[in-house]
Amino acid sequence: MNAPATIELPVIVIGAGPAGLAAAVHLIERGIEPLVLEAGPAAGAAVREWSHVRLFSTWGEVVDPAAEKLLAPTGWTRPDPATYPSGGDWAEQYLQPLADVLGGRVRTGVQVTGVSRAGRDRIVDADREQQPFVVHVTHADGREERLFARAVIDASGTWTAPSPAGASGLAALGERAAADRITYRVPDLKEPAVRARYAGKRTAVIGSGASAFTALAYLADLAKSDDGAGTKGMWILRRGISGSTFGGGEADQLPARGALGLAAKAAVAQGYADAVTGFRTEVIERDGEQLILVAEDGRRLDPVDEVIVLTGFRPGLSFLSEIRLGLDERLQAPVELAPLIDPNQHSCGTVYPHGHRELAHPEQGIYLVGMKSYGRAPTFLAMTGYEQVRSVAAAIAGDLEAADRVELTLPETGVCGGAGLFDSPESDQSGGGCCAPAPQLVQIGTPTAVTVGATAAEEAPAGGCCGS
């Protein structure tokens, strides 16, 4: 079968999450037919897996303006823009209605297994850019299919590829063998079976971002409840403690994100969790029904019953192996975007405006957008993805003036870079700067260790997902 003429083909969008569905809407506005392929059984499948977690962005920040315009004729009304949705709210009240409006343009239960140029592997130069993209998929029933596209927008996110507990970026020795005691997601402690798993138990939480804050706040709430007596958290940080460890606090322009850090701070201050700093996990040992974490320097922690690993995510790139991508060697983000979001350099402040040019690759016509575009950087927000796909859709349509007119201002935060970044002694900014000083091995956890308002944990929204 010969490939059809490229201009007649749809743009294939991989992933029916927030960025993917928004991309479809912006393409339709440009008169370009999209085809959205979602591996899960419904739109927003990844978001639904953290349905119990509340976003720290408001409804006003997680609805794409073009999507709202498409939804309006259906009678859909945006929820109060000043309130905070949970993942479940986001999926059911926005993503699913949007997918319903898009109708047959969204196909679920379709796993993309490979992307290439028709008749050209990544080595072949001849007439490469004249060939359409070919996308191989596997349906839920096992049936395989080959689809053609004029361009490909990969908005598949990073949810399916969580980073391991091991500080080297590899799984700690024994981590896989201890899989029955480890989770890589924030647990839903309202579910009776999940609640029973953690109630009265000692749980290690590895990570330093919003998800770790959420897990600590959840465990503290469980410890305060009638059925959670004896619940204890052990917060494992690879870095030292500083004023920025708990995020931007009251200075955060996303108030719920700041409140989330304060809730974690309260959990430690009130003795519901101990914080162990400068600890880089290398081994997870079995001790009967418990686990022992061992650091790279040989230090061993007291046994725990469960481990929650929240060390970030990484992009899945295997199905793009025949595409010529230009990715930063550290972040696995597009090379032009990486310097703008690199947590080694940009621990605080804003993300510079970016669009199709920063998202471009040597292979013309393919774009990684949304959470996936950030590679391993932890600072993505949903509003970033919406601006990305607006620019990309304009570029695909040939309207470079609109594509280059990128305006993006993100709220400032005191949150430093990604989980596990080293803070060298020479970068010590403890005198009021954003980043942490050199790691210190400090055990904290008594009520007098940190001063914080007693209501912080109660008032903080119960989540911290940025949105993919």
Side-chain angles (χ1 to χ4, degrees):
M1 173 182 173
N2 293 327
T6 301
I7 195 66
E8 302 171 358
L9 296 172
V11 171
I12 286 183
V13 180
I14 305 173
L21 294 175
V25 173
H26 284 279
L27 289 166
I28 291 171
E29 278 198 333
R30 293 282 174 176
I32 299 172
E33 191 65 16
L35 176 59
V36 183
L37 306 178
E38 168 58 50
V47 175
R48 294 172 192 274
E49 291 194 26
W50 47 269
S51 60
H52 59 290
V53 178
R54 192 177 302 171
L55 283 78
F56 52 61
S57 296
T58 64
W59 271 114
E61 296 161 335
V62 299
V63 172
D64 178 73
E68 184 173 6
K69 187 164 62 175
L70 183 66
L71 284 165
T74 70
W76 182 87
T77 56
R78 183 176 66 180
D80 183 348
T83 60
Y84 297 90
S86 67
D89 296 335
W90 203 17
E92 290 299 328
Q93 298 178 44
Y94 170 62
L95 299 178
Q96 189 59 56
L98 184 54
D100 291 342
V101 170
L102 292 171
R105 297 182 174 102
V106 178
R107 300 183 188 176
T108 58
V110 181
Q111 178 73 54
V112 174
T113 58
V115 180
S116 187
R117 289 282 189 177
R120 309 289 189 274
D121 63 21
R122 67 181 297 157
I123 299 176
V124 178
D125 290 332
D127 298 322
R128 186 176 189 86
E129 293 182 3
Q130 284 69 52
Q131 304 305 312
F133 288 95
V134 60
V135 179
H136 285 206
V137 303
T138 300
H139 294 263
D141 60 4
R143 178 172 55 91
E144 294 182 322
E145 186 179 4
R146 181 177 62 167
L147 304 170
F148 294 98
R150 61 185 288 185
V152 174
I153 299 176
D154 182 359
S156 59
T158 58
W159 178 254
T160 59
S163 296
S168 61
L170 305 174
L173 299 181
E175 183 171 347
R176 294 185 182 90
D180 61 319
R181 299 284 180 177
I182 301 175
T183 183
Y184 299 85
R185 307 288 190 265
V186 176
D188 183 358
L189 297 185
K190 292 182 180 179
E191 286 289 332
V194 178
R195 191 175 183 86
R197 175 175 174 175
Y198 295 94
K201 303 292 180 63
R202 185 176 175 85
T203 299
V205 178
I206 304 176
S208 61
S211 294
F213 294 165
T214 303
L216 290 167
Y218 280 8
L219 290 172
D221 286 343
L222 177 58
K224 298 172 189 176
S225 66
D226 293 339
D227 62 338
T231 302
K232 183 76 172 185
M234 180 186 292
W235 188 19
I236 311 299
L237 296 116
R238 297 170 182 170
R239 296 180 288 191
I241 291 287
S242 78
S244 65
T245 296
F246 298 97
E250 294 179 359
D252 198 319
Q253 290 186 20
L254 289 177
R257 180 169 55 187
L260 187 61
L262 293 177
K265 190 174 185 179
V268 174
Q270 296 166 5
Y272 296 112
D274 294 326
V276 182
T277 65
F279 191 96
R280 299 184 172 93
T281 306
E282 287 297 319
V283 180
I284 299 178
E285 296 181 353
R286 282 274 189 179
D287 181 18
E289 294 298 309
Q290 294 185 303
L291 302 177
I292 297 174
L293 304 184
V294 184
E296 61 183 7
D297 60 6
R299 287 176 299 140
R300 304 164 65 87
L301 299 181
D302 292 337
V304 296
D305 301 291
E306 300 285 343
V307 178
I308 302 174
V309 180
L310 300 169
T311 53
F313 296 85
R314 50 188 61 176
L317 301 168
S318 60
F319 66 86
L320 298 174
S321 62
E322 294 306 313
I323 292 295
R324 298 173 178 179
L325 298 179
L327 298 176
D328 179 76
E329 62 185 8
R330 292 169 298 167
L331 295 185
Q332 295 180 296
V335 291
E336 296 297 322
L337 176 61
L340 310 183
I341 61 173
D342 186 352
N344 289 291
Q345 303 296 327
H346 299 282
S347 296
C348 306
T350 61
V351 174
Y352 292 104
H354 65 277
H356 73 108
R357 295 192 186 278
E358 290 80 9
L359 298 170
H361 294 275
E363 191 85 69
Q364 294 185 23
I366 188 161
Y367 300 91
L368 276 56
V369 302
M371 185 78 78
K372 191 164 186 177
S373 71
Y374 271 44
R376 299 192 184 200
T379 51
F380 180 79
L381 293 172
M383 62 184 85
T384 306
Y386 296 153
E387 180 60 17
Q388 287 179 341
V389 297
R390 185 205 63 78
S391 175
V392 166
I396 292 173
D399 186 353
L400 294 184
E401 180 182 356
D404 289 335
R405 193 173 62 247
V406 178
E407 298 177 0
L408 177 65
T409 302
L410 295 180
E412 292 187 9
T413 174
V415 179
C416 281
L421 294 183
F422 282 75
D423 297 307
S424 60
E426 57 269 23
S427 66
D428 187 341
Q429 300 179 26
S430 56
C434 168
C435 298
Q440 303 175 44
L441 306 185
V442 180
Q443 186 84 21
I444 62 177
T446 63
T448 57
V450 184
T451 301
V452 65
T455 60
E458 299 168 356
E459 296 177 354
C465 288
C466 299
S468 58

